[in-house]
Amino acid sequence: MSHSNNPFVRGYDGLSVERLLAISYDDDCPLSYLPLHTSQSHLPDSQVERHAGVFCDDFALITEGQNVPPELDAQCPSHGIARNLVYAVMAEEAGKPLHVGDTCSEEAAREVVRRLSFETGFYSRCWEISSAHLTPEAGRFLAELADIATPSGFLFVAFRIPYSPAIGVKLIATPWTDANLLLVECITAEQLRQEHRAKGVPECLVEVLHLAALADVRMLVFDADAPVLDGLTLYDDE
């Protein structure tokens, strides 16, 4: 499932920093932003900015003060000047690159990535959402689990909140991705989903818990007075 379809997701996937040249090549054309060819990626900014070069659709090469192999030069039909360098913060959305923004230095870009990253094990995330996202049957199932010791293998624990009708759920071993679950539980996300169904967990509860756990939510509270979460199915009371 794409993270764009998961209302619990609030971060970016696959954050990275890409060093790009802003190349001018025609007074009437906007700047082109391209990475240096890997053979020149070691060049410091001072040997790149305001230097002449050649480029194609995929990369650029600095020719001023550099020796460019003929076979690479032949791949670059366009000529221009690297006006400056930008450090682009990139992410992924449904497997496709997503441009988040630009900074003027690698250090600044790395700091943006650090601030936007949510690394498993270093934060906790709690959501309070309306119990209308569960059917009455699922609500009763969750309440019954909260009143007993939740059976092993669920990877979640239900609990009551004192002086409140709300029911809380502690999610374990998140995020429920194949990579993480195979590492800690030796199962895939789909196998865990099937185990939940086999144990009688109502389908709407399975769906909400797996969406939340995929987004690395650690605590989930269902409360009739809490707001609804856009993107989640609503169920009418009986």
Side-chain angles (χ1 to χ4, degrees):
M1 174 178 287
S2 168
H3 275 203
S4 63
N5 297 325
N6 188 342
F8 289 104
V9 170
R10 286 298 184 269
Y12 289 101
D13 279 339
L15 283 164
S16 63
V17 175
E18 190 171 355
R19 187 186 189 213
L20 300 176
L21 280 67
I23 303 170
S24 63
Y25 56 97
D26 191 308
D27 290 340
D28 296 329
C29 295
L31 295 176
S32 290
Y33 291 87
L34 290 166
L36 271 171
H37 188 267
T38 53
S39 64
Q40 293 189 346
S41 60
H42 64 283
L43 293 178
D45 293 1
S46 61
Q47 294 182 30
V48 175
E49 290 184 313
R50 295 177 296 280
H51 284 63
V54 293
F55 63 96
C56 61
D57 290 341
D58 300 318
F59 60 83
L61 286 158
I62 299 299
T63 55
E64 184 179 341
Q66 305 297 326
N67 292 319
V68 177
E71 62 272 17
L72 286 178
D73 185 69
Q75 297 180 46
C76 300
S78 302
H79 296 256
I81 297 177
R83 292 300 177 184
N84 64 287
L85 283 162
V86 298
Y87 289 83
V89 178
M90 305 296 293
E92 293 181 1
E93 176 64 40
K96 297 180 180 179
L98 175 69
H99 181 221
V100 178
D102 296 326
T103 63
C104 60
S105 71
E106 184 176 7
E107 181 182 5
R110 297 293 178 194
E111 178 60 16
V112 171
V113 169
R114 187 191 70 80
R115 288 172 177 261
L116 292 178
S117 298
F118 293 102
E119 188 172 355
T120 297
F122 290 90
Y123 78 103
S124 292
R125 179 179 281 166
C126 179
W127 281 79
E128 184 185 43
I129 63 174
S130 174
S131 54
H133 292 304
L134 299 178
T135 63
E137 173 198 5
R140 289 191 293 270
F141 178 89
L142 200 57
E144 291 172 1
L145 279 185
D147 292 333
I148 64 173
T150 305
S152 61
F154 274 61
L155 288 191
F156 69 86
V157 177
F159 58 91
R160 288 192 178 274
I161 297 176
Y163 312 110
S164 169
I167 300 292
V169 178
K170 170 69 171 73
L171 297 164
I172 301 168
T174 62
W176 288 353
T177 60
D178 287 347
N180 192 55
L181 287 172
L182 285 169
L183 180 66
V184 298
E185 295 291 328
C186 298
I187 59 173
T188 66
E190 181 58 29
Q191 286 173 327
L192 179 61
R193 185 184 289 266
Q194 294 303 325
E195 285 189 14
H196 285 156
R197 289 169 175 156
K199 289 180 170 68
V201 180
E203 187 62 29
C204 64
L205 181 57
V206 170
E207 183 67 16
V208 173
L209 294 185
H210 278 256
L211 284 173
L214 185 60
D216 211 357
V217 172
R218 303 296 178 83
M219 293 286 184
L220 192 57
V221 176
F222 295 94
D223 191 332
D225 296 326
V228 300
L229 180 58
D230 289 342
L232 285 185
T233 303
L234 288 170
Y235 297 92
D236 295 330
D237 291 336
E238 288 181 332

